[in-house]
């Protein structure tokens, strides 16, 4: 065990992830050599994960305000007004590095962390989603990681009692050494009782609540700010262990405590635990914080100050309470069998002072820990525009091609995954996994609901980060629109490689530019988010993956649209331009084995015009089913709508179209809808009036999906191909 | 009908159950904390789903020893209706109010999906509004739903027609694929000897309104409302 006065060597500095110039900055700030605990505190506050030092400059360019935004980035989660005195509070956060090392606990604590971010602000969680990315299906570790991550996500969320209603699962060899686990959570609160982390008032008790502190997760945030190499298994002790049971108790106790009026400020202990939470509360309120670690509830003997300050033990909260309510607060926590300890107080000297065993272990300027963190304008180069794609031949057999695509790893049904998630608990799930967006009714309302979707197409971002960034936002906006929701705001989870490489930094800068442009054009502000860098192993980075989590509002759940074909005789209509673009398409990759060309461009004005028209038509109940077009293009949308509805359709393509581009092109700003015979006239009149392209393709009915002259497949056969891949893969049969 | 819903640390479907009872009976149920020993005078006691005590040790085993359970046992013996759903079923088994035990699902994974149940007996206050042989949809969401009991218990359960629900397919046929957890004889729910205690793994409270995608489980609650007197 290292003593607090351990000599600070360059090796020790480096092992804390601090660069020599960063260490020099520490020396300049405090005017002396730091103690070991102080070095640990700096490393916790100044690592990439906590300080956003490489991304901050660019994140500032994102639009973060809007008429409905109550609180943008900077707090535990974003807060958006949904009317009636209610707010939705949501955020997405990565738990990539730990999930690769220890998939069950890494994923579980990722879910736990994001749920805590949401209820820390006073919201009861109502929905969880997750965006998961794994290596190639044939990589030896992939099945183990899928199995562990999925059961970890389920194990935590199911026990906690939040419905896990949607998300994404993708496979690509570029995630072989670094999987992505991005967890999203949303909760509901009253707009007049939202809780923030800013402490107010001098001499007030700083209270520790929740589970006891152990040695797990010490240095986790620093680990998450480094690349992997072959010795990564040795990092297993830095992964935290989750206890959803304690978290559920913590939720109930916190909400009860908040209702009592005792809470002035609250911050959950996430990355860098006690250090980060205490510094944030003090620094935001222009207050110092003094902590006496002898008072911290611990579950292991002889923990050092260093370990306590850097532990990432889960299910813990820090609060500043009104002194007159302390006894009442303690009674609430005792009732829930949780620890409650006054471990310090707020001060007026702007110092972050740590006492342990009667000695001062750390005494640092609290504002500088956050404000003076390094900020870099790292060199970045834009990727040259991808070469135009060479001729793309049509498939030999259209039916075979479509069957192969619906049963391919990225397009196959995710039922194996979401059946392990309790997606029905709370009794408000109006649209289950498998549609364009999940829909959850707002508690206490008959018809008001929220829609959620997570989206990004990493292969587009790799080929063109700016267009890829735009597309992620546009697809998310479209998915919300396709159920009839008004898109409100997003949270972003930016997953990239090592930002010290100019080409990786170029991806990050480009993607943020694209996200910003799309969010501005679609009035879809970014209210929270997270950046995960250094997703590299032995120098090979992941595909750039800026995941977007969007939230939309449905005033009347009765008019919500779903993707399944409804009734024989309904007309199938393509809304938007005909498909032409095959660069970076699923067709190109799955059928021809090529990953090349530019991604589809995103015309944001057209996206908005088309989406606004579709949403209006849904709300006026003119369309009977709706599906956004994305991966796999029109053909996949037809197949998915047929499978979801259990009924076929017969369509014909326009004579002047190149059939394979029309069927499989991934052009943006498009939807496939069905219209009942009674609404047909109104629909086409509306489209014409709005200047929206709407092509009548055919009619719903029968047991087969028929594209005239090209393919006939029974819906049952499609569904078998679609449903079989995942279970067979996980059973080791592929 | 007046109901009480018992809440343990880690219960998590009590809100669903409270909402269902309130919606169908028109009365908000009392909520009783596990550490209490008193129960209000009620016609129905519900032990809801969740992960009481985190399901650490064994599902339902710790909750079965909570102070309130002795009172529930006394009321059950006096004929008060008791409904245990999911973790509630596990708790009632662990507490000895129902025979048998719920083991890990045969597939070893948590499973959340809609299944079909066949109503096997209408001779109980819970199932009287159904017809015997009715096939209803109902969601399950559990990791430990694999019902097991010894041969003698099983003979008595079948002989006394105390199996309330079995897992079947949409046509009402018993098939291995229709059973989500591998339970003995496709058992989804059982009744006590006096038929006033029902334990079931599926969640009837999650299929009672159009938003849930169906109302197949409404008759279970309506049947209770019709048959159970007003306690006060």
């Amino acid at each position: 065990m290292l003593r607090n006065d351990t000599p600070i060597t360059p090796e020790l500095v480096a092992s804390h992830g601090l660069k020599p110039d960063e260490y020099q900055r520490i020396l300049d700030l405090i005017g002396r050599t730091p103690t070991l605990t102080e070095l640990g505190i700096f490393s916790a506050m100044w690592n990439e994960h906590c300080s956003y030092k490489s991304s901050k400059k660019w994140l500032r360019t994102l639009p973060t305000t809007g008429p409905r935004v109550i609180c943008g980035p900077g707090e535990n989660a974003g807060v958006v007004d949904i009317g009636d005195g209610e707010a939705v509070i949501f955020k997405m956060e990565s738990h990539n590095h730990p999930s690769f090392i220890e998939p069950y606990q890494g994923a579980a604590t990722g879910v736990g962390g994001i749920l805590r971010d949401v209820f820390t602000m006073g919201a009861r969680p109502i929905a969880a989603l997750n965006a998961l990315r794994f290596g190639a299906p044939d990589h030896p570790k992939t099945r183990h990681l899928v199995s562990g991550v999925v059961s970890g996500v389920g194990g935590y969320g199911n026990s906690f009692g939040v419905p896990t209603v949607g998300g994404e699962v993708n496979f690509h060899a570029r995630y072989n050494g670094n999987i992505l686990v991005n967890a999203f959570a949303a909760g509901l609160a009253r707009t007049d009782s939202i809780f923030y982390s800013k402490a107010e008032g001098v001499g007030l008790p700083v209270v520790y609540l929740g589970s006891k502190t152990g040695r797990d997760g010490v240095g986790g945030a620093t680990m998450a700010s480094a690349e992997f190499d072959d010795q990564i298994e040795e990092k297993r002790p830095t992964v935290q262990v989750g206890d959803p049971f304690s978290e559920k108790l913590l939720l109930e106790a916190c909400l009860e405590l908040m209702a009592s009026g005792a809470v002035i400020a609250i911050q959950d202990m996430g990355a860098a635990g006690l250090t980060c939470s205490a510094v944030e509360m003090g620094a935001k309120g222009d207050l110092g914080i003094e902590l006496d670690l002898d008072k911290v509830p611990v579950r292991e003997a002889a923990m050092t100050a260093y370990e306590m300050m850097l532990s990432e033990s889960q299910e813990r909260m820090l609060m500043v309470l009104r002194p007159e309510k302390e006894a009442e607060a303690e009674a609430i926590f005792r009732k829930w069998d949780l620890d409650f300890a006054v471990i310090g107080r707020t001060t007026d000297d702007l110092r972050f002072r740590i006492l342990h065993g009667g000695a001062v272990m750390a005494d640092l300027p609290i504002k500088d820990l956050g404000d003076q963190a390094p900020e870099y304008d790292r060199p970045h180069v834009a990727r040259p525009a991808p070469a135009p794609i060479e001729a793309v031949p049509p498939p030999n057999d259209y039916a075979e091609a479509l069957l192969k695509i619906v049963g391919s790893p990225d397009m196959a049904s995710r039922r194996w995954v979401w059946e392990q998630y309790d997606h029905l608990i709370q009794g408000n799930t109006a649209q289950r996994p498998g549609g364009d967006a999940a829909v959850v009714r707002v508690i206490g309302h008959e018809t008001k609901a929220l829609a959620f979707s997570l989206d990004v197409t990493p292969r587009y971002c790799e080929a063109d980060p700016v267009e890829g960034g735009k597309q992620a936002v546009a697809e998310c906006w479209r998915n919300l629109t396709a159920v009839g929701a008004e898109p409100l705001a997003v949270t972003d989870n930016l997953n990239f490689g090592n930002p010290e490489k100019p080409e990786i930094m170029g991806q990050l800068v480009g993607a943020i530019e694209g996200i910003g442009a799309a969010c501005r054009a679609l009035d879809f502000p970014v209210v929270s988010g997270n950046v995960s860098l250094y997703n590299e192993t032995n120098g090979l980075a992941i595909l750039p993956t800026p995941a977007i989590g969007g939230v939309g509002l449905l005033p009347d759940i009765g008019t919500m649209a779903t993707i399944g074909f409804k009734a024989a005789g309904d007309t199938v209509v393509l809304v938007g331009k005909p498909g032409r673009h095959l660069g970076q398409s699923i067709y190109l990759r799955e059928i021809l084995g090529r990953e090349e060309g530019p991604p589809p461009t995103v015309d944001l004005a057209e996206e908005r015009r088309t989406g606004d028209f579709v949403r209006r038509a849904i709300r006026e109940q003119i369309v009977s089913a709706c599906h956004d077009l994305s991966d796999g293009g029109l053909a996949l949308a037809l197949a998915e709508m047929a499978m979801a509805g259990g009924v076929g359709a017969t369509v014909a393509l326009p004579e002047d179209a190149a059939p394979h581009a029309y069927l499989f092109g991934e052009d943006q700003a498009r939807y496939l809808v069905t219209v009942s015979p009674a609404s047909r006239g109104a629909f086409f009149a509306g489209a014409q009036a709005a200047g929206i392209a709407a092509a009548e393709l055919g009619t719903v009915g029968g047991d087969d999906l028929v594209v005239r002259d090209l393919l006939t497949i029974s819906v049952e056969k499609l569904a078998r191909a679609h449903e079989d891949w995942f279970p067979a893969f996980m059973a080791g049969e592929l | 009908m007046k109901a009480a819903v018992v809440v343990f640390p880690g219960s998590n479907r009590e809100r669903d159950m409270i909402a269902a009872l309130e919606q169908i009976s028109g009365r908000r149920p009392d909520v009783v904390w596990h550490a209490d020993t008193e129960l209000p005078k009620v016609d129905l006691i519900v032990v809801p789903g969740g992960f009481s005590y985190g399901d650490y040790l064994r599902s339902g085993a710790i909750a079965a020893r909570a102070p309130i359970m002795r009172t529930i046992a006394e009321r059950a013996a006096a004929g008060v209706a008791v409904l245990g759903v999911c973790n509630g079923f596990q708790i009632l088994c662990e507490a000895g109010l129902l025979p048998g035990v719920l083991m890990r699902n045969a597939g070893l994974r948590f499973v959340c999906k809609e299944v079909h149940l066949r109503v096997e007996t209408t001779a109980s206050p819970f199932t009287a509004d159904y017809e015997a042989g009715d096939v209803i949809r109902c969601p399950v969401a559990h990791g430990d739903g694999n019902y097991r009991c010894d041969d003698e218990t099983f003979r008595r359960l079948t002989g006394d027609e105390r199996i309330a629900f079995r897992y079947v397919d949409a046509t009402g046929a018993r098939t291995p694929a229709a059973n989500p957890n591998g339970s003995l004889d496709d058992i989804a729910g059982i009744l006590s000897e006096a038929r006033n205690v029902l334990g079931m793994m599926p969640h009837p409270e999650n299929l009672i309104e159009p938003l849930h995608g169906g109302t197949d489980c409404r008759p279970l609650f309506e049947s209770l409302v019709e048959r159970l007197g007003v306690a006060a």
Side-chain angles (χ1 to χ4, degrees), chain A residues 105-429:
Chain A
Q105 292 297 346
T109 52
V111 172
I114 199 67
L115 288 169
R116 222 155 41 242
D117 278 335
V118 163
F119 72 75
T120 298
M121 298 195 73
R124 181 175 283 277
I126 60 156
L129 293 88
N130 49 81
L132 310 178
R133 289 187 163 83
F134 299 100
D138 59 2
H139 186 274
K141 276 197 96 159
T142 298
R143 196 177 296 120
H144 155 74
L145 291 169
V146 173
S147 167
V149 166
V150 170
S151 55
V153 167
Y156 207 101
N158 298 345
S159 176
F160 178 83
V162 65
T164 302
V165 289
E168 292 191 291
V169 180
N170 286 122
F171 298 91
H172 196 282
R174 290 276 292 279
Y175 303 104
N176 281 352
N178 298 80
I179 62 169
L180 301 185
V181 173
N182 293 177
F184 170 102
L188 285 175
R190 302 291 309 172
T191 51
D192 58 5
S193 49
I194 292 163
F195 291 82
Y196 298 98
S197 57
K198 178 181 164 184
E200 283 172 56
V202 174
L204 298 181
V206 174
V207 181
Y208 173 113
L209 308 151
S211 299
K212 294 186 197 309
T213 295
R215 290 194 171 93
D216 54 323
V218 171
T222 304
M223 174 273 288
S225 302
E227 289 180 41
F228 283 175
D229 55 27
D230 296 331
Q231 270 75 55
I232 191 59
E233 292 293 335
E234 292 170 13
K235 296 276 190 188
R236 194 175 297 256
T238 63
V239 179
Q240 315 87 325
V241 177
D243 176 4
F245 170 61
S246 291
E247 178 118 323
K248 168 74 164 134
L249 303 184
L250 193 59
L251 163 76
E252 299 299 341
C254 282
L255 293 185
E256 200 172 321
L257 188 59
M258 286 164 171
S260 77
V263 179
I264 293 173
I266 173 167
Q267 176 74 33
D268 85 295
M269 292 191 224
L274 198 48
T275 294
C276 219
S277 55
V279 169
E280 268 189 46
M281 287 174 85
K284 276 192 183 145
D286 288 320
L287 294 166
I289 300 265
E290 184 175 286
L291 300 180
D292 181 356
L293 299 186
D294 297 338
K295 308 259 175 67
V296 171
V298 288
R299 60 167 184 251
E300 295 175 69
M303 283 185 72
T304 63
Y306 174 90
E307 289 167 330
M308 279 192 247
M309 292 310 292
L310 296 190
S311 162
E312 291 189 7
S313 290
Q314 299 288 292
E315 294 91 24
R316 301 180 301 160
M317 290 277 186
L318 205 60
M319 292 191 196
V320 175
L321 294 183
R322 292 184 205 291
E324 69 275 16
K325 295 266 192 181
E326 205 182 296
E328 189 183 340
E330 181 162 0
I332 291 172
F333 269 70
R334 295 285 176 234
K335 170 186 154 192
W336 289 99
D337 288 326
L338 291 165
D339 270 300
F340 177 101
V342 178
I343 62 163
R345 60 189 181 89
T346 57
T347 67
D348 60 1
D349 64 2
L350 287 176
R351 304 295 293 181
F352 185 44
R353 200 174 300 110
I354 306 301
L355 310 174
H356 192 214
V360 176
M361 309 305 277
D363 188 352
L364 297 169
I366 198 163
K367 298 283 279 185
D368 292 349
L369 280 169
D371 296 349
Q372 292 300 316
E375 184 180 330
Y376 297 121
D377 182 1
R378 296 196 187 277
H380 53 97
V381 291
R383 188 189 194 283
I389 189 169
E390 287 178 28
V392 178
N396 298 326
D397 180 329
Y398 277 90
E400 225 170 73
L402 181 55
L403 272 175
K404 185 165 182 201
I405 287 174
V406 298
S408 66
D410 270 357
M411 297 291 105
S413 165
R414 271 69 183 113
R415 184 183 303 277
W416 185 92
V417 175
W418 53 255
E419 279 189 350
Q420 294 184 59
Y421 303 154
D422 191 336
H423 48 272
L424 301 175
I425 191 165
Q426 298 189 9
N428 291 306
T429 305

Side-chain angles (χ1 to χ4, degrees), chain A residues 124 155 157-162 242-246 248-249 252 335-337 416 418-430 432 441 443 446 557, chain B residues 7-16 23 33-34 50-56 109-114 137 139-141 203 205-207 209 211-213:
Chain A
R124 181 175 283 277
N158 298 345
S159 176
F160 178 83
V162 65
D243 176 4
F245 170 61
S246 291
K248 168 74 164 134
L249 303 184
E252 299 299 341
K335 170 186 154 192
W336 289 99
D337 288 326
W416 185 92
W418 53 255
E419 279 189 350
Q420 294 184 59
Y421 303 154
D422 191 336
H423 48 272
L424 301 175
I425 191 165
Q426 298 189 9
N428 291 306
T429 305
R432 302 175 187 182
R441 177 175 57 188
I443 301 155
E446 290 282 319
I557 214 164
Chain B
V7 176
F8 297 90
S11 295
N12 66 19
R13 253 187 174 84
E14 77 278 14
R15 297 163 71 85
D16 307 39
Q23 201 185 113
W33 185 239
H34 69 108
F51 287 67
S52 57
Y53 298 93
D55 276 357
Y56 302 147
R109 287 194 298 271
F110 186 94
V111 57
C112 175
K113 65 191 222 185
E114 221 171 80
R137 291 159 54 213
V140 293
H203 288 283
E205 71 277 22
N206 284 143
L207 206 82
E209 54 173 320
L211 178 114
H212 296 153

Side-chain angles (χ1 to χ4, degrees), chain A residues 435-464:
Chain A
D436 277 333
V439 178
V440 175
R441 177 175 57 188
V442 176
I443 301 155
H445 291 267
E446 290 282 319
T447 64
K448 181 174 166 180
L450 291 166
F452 306 98
S453 184
L454 308 187
D455 298 280
V456 61
T457 312
R459 62 183 189 278
Y460 293 175
C461 298
E462 166 88 354
D464 184 337

